[in-house]
Amino acid sequence: MCQTLVYDAVCMNLLRTGECARFLSDAVKTRLPDIPWPDIVSLRNRVAHSYETLKPEVLWLIASVSLPQLDAALRSLGEA
């Protein structure tokens, strides 16, 4: 049960991240050109529409490695 809740929470947060990325201005995206914005939005679409084909190990890698990197990049905008 707990494992299912964690999986669902990770999926929901990846979905929300992709949704937010869709609405970022081009100015912000231009300031962070190394961030794969289309991939983030694409992942949102896969989580939302192809839930049954998701690979938990890939989602965990994204959540544990890629999201912290994205967080650091976005925070750097506030420091600049």
Side-chain angles (χ1 to χ4, degrees):
M1 169 80 165
C2 183
Q3 193 172 21
T4 302
L5 289 174
V6 170
Y7 179 79
D8 288 347
V10 168
C11 286
M12 181 55 80
N13 280 288
L14 291 173
L15 191 144
R16 288 176 54 206
T17 300
E19 193 69 19
C20 290
R22 282 181 43 203
F23 295 106
L24 280 177
S25 70
D26 289 338
V28 170
K29 291 177 184 179
T30 301
R31 290 178 61 193
L32 296 170
D34 294 334
I35 302 297
W37 299 112
D39 293 343
I40 295 169
V41 174
S42 177
L43 177 62
R44 177 256 176 237
N45 294 334
R46 288 208 50 213
V47 171
H49 303 292
S50 301
Y51 193 80
E52 66 282 348
T53 66
L54 300 174
K55 296 180 180 172
E57 61 277 4
V58 173
L59 295 178
W60 184 251
L61 185 64
I62 292 167
S64 62
V65 176
S66 299
L67 280 184
Q69 293 171 349
L70 175 61
D71 180 59
L74 290 169
R75 289 179 189 274
S76 75
L77 290 176
E79 298 167 0

